[in-house]
Amino acid sequence: MSENNFYNYKLSDEILKALKILNYKRPTEVQEKVIPSALEMKDLIVKSQTGSGKTAAFAIPICELLEWEENKPQTLVLTPTRELAAQIRDDFTNIGRYKRIKAISVYGKQPFAKQKLELKQKVHVVVGTPGRVLDHIQKDTLNLEKLKFLVIDEADEMLNMGFIEQVESILVELPDNRVTMLFSATIPKDIERLCHKYIKNPLNIEMKTKSLTTEKIQHSIIEVTEEDKEKAIRSLTIVENPDSCIIFCRTQERVEELQKFLKKSGYFSDKLHGGMYQEDRFEVMNDFKSGKFRYLIATDVAARGIDIDNVSLIINYDVPMEKESYVHRTGRTGRAGKSGKAITLVTPYEKKFLKEIEDYIGFEIDIMNLPSDEEVTKSKLEFEAKLKAKPQLKKHKSEQLNKGIMKLYFNGGKKKKIRAVDFVGTIAKIPGVTAEDIGIITIQDNVSYVEILNGKGMDVLKAMKTTTIKGKLLKVHEAIK
Ligand code: AMP
């Protein structure tokens, strides 16, 4: 490959345009290895670490190969957590923006009926956690007849979380002639067995960089006693003074306690753990992603796969009990080529877990000292200035993509026999508007929603007030949601 960019893969203009706006200039290593084989519809087992760009590695070729005209789901992505499901859905929506790819996510603790309704409409990609996906399959609300691609993401995590039986039950329901891609940071025995049983002649893909964690992360440990941990967090954060930091704790209770302590000490911080309502979890995550507060205190719910730009410091308030979790937690920094720091507080009791982690990641973590009182005093002014300053909100990478989109509401849908192609055909005939300006189309029984891109919403709105679709003049206005 002479020039290392996405043009070499003969992707369609719609996909290339989205990648350009997302500022993906060249493929990452995993993308370079996966995209060509995935485009040839090969079954793949990919060993790759988090933060390597693996979501786009499967989302780019799948978006390219999806047939827009088909109404039934063509892709199923299984993933261990709800946050990750929502994130992968967004990645598909962004990459497939100009191809009008409709991706939805389904997971537990969300109304089943709402998901059922979504699954009845035109959907290209379904991303979900195994339990809820299986539920939809068993209740016949997820049609798998046209399924062409199955992605099993973070397979080792699904194994850890006890999902693997559900994954097997899903696998037997899928059409045989589908393409399967499995992504996992490690391939434990149970995953290997699953691969042999359900994936025919897969191509095994491994990264050149064998190490489980990227070289961009500077790892260190600090030896402390349990009583000293709160003070240690104070000194560390004052001296490091990060723009964005995640502090991981072992349990929900520990998160609550530390959050109370930091709040009392004047920090803008928030918490995330599995005991919170899903809506609250999403809200906290979104606020942290957009930079509304600097310190996120969390259990391992926040560790898996979640992609947040520019987290510069990870602190393990408690040593993770599972070695894999160390890689996931610290992998929240040092992403997409940026550098980061990971500092772990270790009590004498926690030392035994540390040894296991070091064997797993393949190197000894450097010991550092807690900052001295002198250092803390010296850094205090700057730290307090940052604490008082309003954080600068981060631009989300899809912001540019979503700019100039207007969603239109039409008072007609399936019952009036209106299909997505009818909207495309009609709207693309409006002077100055092409099919490329049309985004995702959602058709329900009595209403439809059509996204108009590139700032042409007002033109289309005006024109559609007097233009018929399939001989019918529909009421149209800008959609409220
Ligand atoms: P992932 O491993 O899928 O969680 O991706 C890690 C991060 O890398 C995400 O923020 C992606 O948006 C970003 N990313 C993925 N592919 C590329 C690329 N080719 N160029 C730049 N950033 C990328």
Side-chain angles (χ1 to χ4, degrees):
M1 215 176 271
S2 55
E3 215 184 316
N4 187 9
N5 69 30
F6 286 104
Y7 286 86
N8 299 58
Y9 302 130
K10 300 198 172 63
L11 298 167
S12 56
D13 289 346
E14 288 106 329
I15 304 291
L16 288 172
K17 187 172 163 193
L19 296 181
K20 195 168 168 210
I21 297 177
L22 284 167
N23 209 14
Y24 292 2
K25 294 201 176 83
R26 54 192 60 215
T28 64
E29 189 188 353
V30 65
Q31 290 162 2
E32 230 174 67
K33 293 198 167 151
V34 168
I35 294 175
S37 304
L39 285 171
E40 288 174 16
M41 312 263 301
K42 292 203 175 112
D43 282 348
L44 305 175
I45 297 174
V46 187
K47 210 165 146 182
S48 82
Q49 69 202 52
T50 173
S52 56
K54 71 183 156 71
T55 315
F58 59 79
I60 293 170
I62 290 177
C63 281
E64 176 69 31
L65 295 168
L66 286 174
E67 283 170 45
W68 181 81
E69 290 74 16
E70 177 55 58
N71 289 332
K72 297 190 179 113
Q74 297 163 64
T75 301
L76 176 64
V77 183
L78 297 175
T79 165
T81 69
R82 300 173 206 150
E83 279 81 1
L84 199 51
Q87 191 174 289
I88 294 174
R89 172 204 61 204
D90 290 346
D91 283 341
F92 268 99
T93 307
N94 289 337
I95 292 167
R97 168 63 75 202
Y98 296 103
K99 207 178 156 180
R100 302 196 286 283
I101 297 301
K102 175 82 190 256
I104 67 162
S105 54
V106 296
Y107 37 75
K109 293 237 174 87
Q110 247 216 345
F112 189 90
K114 188 173 160 256
Q115 294 173 359
K116 183 176 159 185
L117 199 72
E118 277 191 309
L119 286 167
K120 262 171 105 178
Q121 296 153 21
K122 186 185 190 78
V123 171
H124 301 103
V125 181
V126 177
V127 188
T129 48
R132 185 52 71 95
V133 167
L134 190 58
D135 213 11
H136 279 292
I137 295 176
Q138 286 166 345
K139 294 199 173 101
D140 263 344
T141 45
L142 170 58
N143 189 316
L144 298 166
E145 270 167 44
K146 299 287 177 185
L147 199 95
K148 282 203 284 200
F149 304 98
L150 169 72
V151 179
I152 307 176
D153 192 25
E154 308 256 338
D156 47 350
E157 283 312 310
M158 294 223 246
L159 182 70
N160 277 345
M161 294 169 81
F163 279 145
I164 223 71
E165 268 179 30
Q166 285 163 329
V167 173
E168 266 198 275
S169 310
I170 294 170
L171 278 166
V172 295
E173 300 288 338
L174 305 178
D176 282 339
N177 58 355
R178 59 158 204 273
V179 173
T180 307
M181 298 182 219
L182 181 139
F183 290 78
S184 202
T186 55
I187 312 280
K189 279 252 156 353
D190 280 24
I191 303 284
E192 208 174 297
R193 185 186 59 78
L194 199 75
C195 294
H196 278 304
K197 205 161 153 197
Y198 296 101
I199 312 181
K200 310 263 149 37
N201 299 322
L203 193 67
N204 283 294
I205 295 184
E206 256 189 66
M207 298 310 110
K208 266 193 270 122
T209 34
K210 280 271 174 17
S211 105
L212 281 169
T213 137
T214 87
E215 280 144 26
K216 296 272 177 190
I217 309 173
Q218 188 193 327
H219 298 260
S220 13
I221 55 171
I222 300 182
E223 295 180 342
V224 291
T225 60
E226 188 57 52
E227 296 72 48
D228 285 343
K229 278 190 175 178
E230 282 185 352
K231 183 166 174 264
I233 287 287
R234 281 284 285 150
S235 324
L236 266 179
T237 47
I238 290 171
V239 172
E240 294 291 336
N241 202 8
D243 282 330
S244 188
C245 167
I246 309 181
I247 307 177
F248 283 105
C249 302
R250 196 164 42 230
T251 62
Q252 298 177 11
E253 292 74 32
R254 307 257 304 161
V255 168
E256 294 283 347
E257 277 165 26
L258 185 61
Q259 161 70 347
K260 259 191 218 139
F261 169 73
L262 289 186
K263 271 252 136 93
K264 219 168 56 200
S265 314
Y267 287 62
F268 286 108
S269 58
D270 215 331
K271 60 180 181 189
L272 189 76
H273 59 64
M276 293 161 55
Y277 287 117
Q278 189 59 44
E279 274 66 37
D280 295 340
R281 277 165 62 170
F282 276 128
E283 199 180 323
V284 169
M285 195 52 108
N286 284 337
D287 286 353
F288 186 61
K289 276 186 184 179
S290 63
K292 281 196 187 150
F293 60 94
R294 293 187 203 283
Y295 293 91
L296 178 68
I297 307 152
T299 56
D300 280 315
V301 214
R304 294 187 175 96
I306 292 301
D307 179 37
I308 307 163
D309 274 354
N310 300 327
V311 176
S312 52
L313 176 65
I314 299 291
I315 302 178
N316 285 316
Y317 189 67
D318 300 311
V319 175
M321 311 277 254
E322 283 160 4
K323 53 190 189 307
E324 293 87 358
S325 169
Y326 181 85
V327 175
H328 284 289
R329 287 180 179 189
T330 55
R332 296 316 98 211
T333 185
R335 296 172 77 75
K338 300 206 177 73
S339 54
K341 269 190 189 177
I343 302 175
T344 302
L345 304 182
V346 189
T347 62
Y349 165 76
E350 289 176 313
K351 270 208 173 134
K352 57 174 180 278
F353 304 113
L354 188 70
K355 175 77 181 62
E356 216 181 304
I357 289 168
E358 289 182 330
D359 286 348
Y360 181 63
I361 58 179
F363 60 89
E364 255 181 52
I365 307 175
D366 290 337
I367 300 178
M368 71 179 248
N369 291 322
L370 255 184
S372 64
D373 289 347
E374 210 181 3
E375 276 176 287
V376 173
T377 316
K378 224 168 71 192
S379 309
K380 216 159 188 173
L381 263 182
E382 221 172 294
F383 172 78
E384 276 166 4
K386 198 182 259 186
L387 211 57
K388 282 192 200 111
K390 235 180 149 180
Q392 236 192 348
L393 293 192
K394 294 178 206 168
K395 274 209 169 96
H396 194 262
K397 61 177 183 258
S398 62
E399 202 165 286
Q400 197 62 26
L401 261 182
N402 292 330
K403 228 165 72 183
I405 298 182
M406 186 193 266
K407 195 167 172 185
L408 297 182
Y409 157 96
F410 291 87
N411 74 331
K414 279 186 195 157
K415 287 202 176 148
K416 287 193 176 144
K417 303 233 168 344
I418 291 172
R419 297 162 306 156
V421 278
D422 302 322
F423 277 110
V424 178
T426 310
I427 293 171
K429 282 200 199 101
I430 298 171
V433 181
T434 68
E436 279 192 16
D437 300 320
I438 305 169
I440 296 167
I441 302 170
T442 309
I443 308 211
Q444 298 176 358
D445 284 347
N446 297 309
V447 301
S448 302
Y449 297 94
V450 182
E451 286 180 358
I452 306 299
L453 316 179
N454 308 322
K456 297 194 182 163
M458 278 319 275
D459 297 345
V460 175
L461 176 62
K462 230 162 109 193
M464 288 312 295
K465 287 197 188 273
T466 52
T467 310
T468 57
I469 300 177
K470 275 192 133 178
K472 298 172 192 90
L473 188 66
L474 301 180
K475 255 197 205 135
V476 53
H477 57 70
E478 188 174 354
I480 297 156
K481 44 174 187 155

